[in-house]
Amino acid sequence: MTDLRQTIDHERKRYCVAAGGGVSLPVAGALYWAVMGGLGFYLTPSQWAIAAAAGSGLIFPLGILLQAPMRSPFMKSKSPLSGVTMAAIAAINLLWPIHILLIGGFPEAAPLTLAIGMSLHWPIIGWAYHSRVSLIHAFVRVAAVTVIWYGFPEWRLTGIPFVVAGLYLFAAAGLRWEVLRFRRAGVSAA
């Protein structure tokens, strides 16, 4: 059993190195959330919710475009674990009926539901990448946006997006650090 566990752990680390930690995706997420934070100063909750829902579809394509400059070829990296990451991404999309319901009836909730809903894949992708940073990101993000939502309602359209953007940048830096740590430990992308 230990050999299998070691084999899986090595593959998880190798996958992280091969994908460059998938760093281009949190950078794309940070850009999306920073824009949404800026729009929060100008849009009504209903307008913000619609813009946030529509704009969220740009994160993945932007992440693909940022692969080369971020040295994060997540689409080219092959692993038996890649199916887990795709299933995790598919799972977060199952929340769209709830997001749409809230956007139509309680748009003020959109920053909270989108910030939490769009973080649900982080622990799973973190497992696939052998990444503690990803797990920490998810828990800190949910805690932070919940505190802002309940404690600082006037910051819902600005504070939540800017905090999520910042957390994405910390996650990207942490993922880059994990890739470098795995490489120093002798894990190669091949």
Side-chain angles (χ1 to χ4, degrees):
M1 185 62 145
T2 302
D3 290 339
L4 178 59
R5 183 181 311 254
Q6 288 173 342
T7 299
I8 292 171
D9 282 350
H10 182 268
E11 176 55 24
R12 291 166 61 199
K13 292 173 185 174
R14 191 211 60 80
Y15 184 34
C16 183
V17 170
V23 171
S24 65
L25 288 168
V27 170
L31 292 170
Y32 160 81
W33 282 101
V35 168
M36 294 314 305
L39 291 175
F41 289 112
Y42 304 104
L43 301 179
T44 67
S46 293
Q47 293 168 331
W48 189 95
I50 291 167
S56 69
L58 298 174
I59 296 171
F60 192 75
L62 182 56
I64 291 172
L65 291 174
L66 292 173
Q67 286 182 103
M70 301 302 304
R71 298 182 326 270
S72 174
F74 69 92
M75 290 297 288
K76 292 180 182 175
S77 60
K78 302 297 180 211
S79 172
L81 302 173
S82 61
V84 172
T85 59
M86 293 312 292
I89 292 167
I92 64 171
N93 287 303
L94 297 176
L95 288 173
W96 277 105
I98 295 170
H99 295 311
I100 291 168
L101 173 72
L102 288 172
I103 288 168
F106 186 37
E108 295 83 3
L112 181 68
T113 65
L114 290 171
I116 292 174
M118 292 165 62
S119 72
L120 296 179
H121 64 297
W122 276 82
I124 300 161
I125 290 173
W127 179 87
Y129 283 171
H130 206 285
S131 170
R132 291 186 182 119
V133 168
S134 296
L135 185 62
I136 293 166
H137 171 82
F139 283 106
V140 170
R141 179 169 160 174
V142 170
V145 300
T146 302
V147 166
I148 294 169
W149 172 261
Y150 287 106
F152 306 94
E154 67 278 8
W155 295 355
R156 288 176 179 167
L157 298 181
T158 55
I160 288 175
F162 285 134
V163 165
V164 172
L167 290 172
Y168 263 129
L169 292 177
F170 278 117
L175 286 163
R176 178 68 70 210
W177 171 79
E178 285 179 326
V179 167
L180 295 174
R181 185 171 58 94
F182 294 154
R183 282 186 182 146
R184 281 193 303 272
V187 177
S188 73

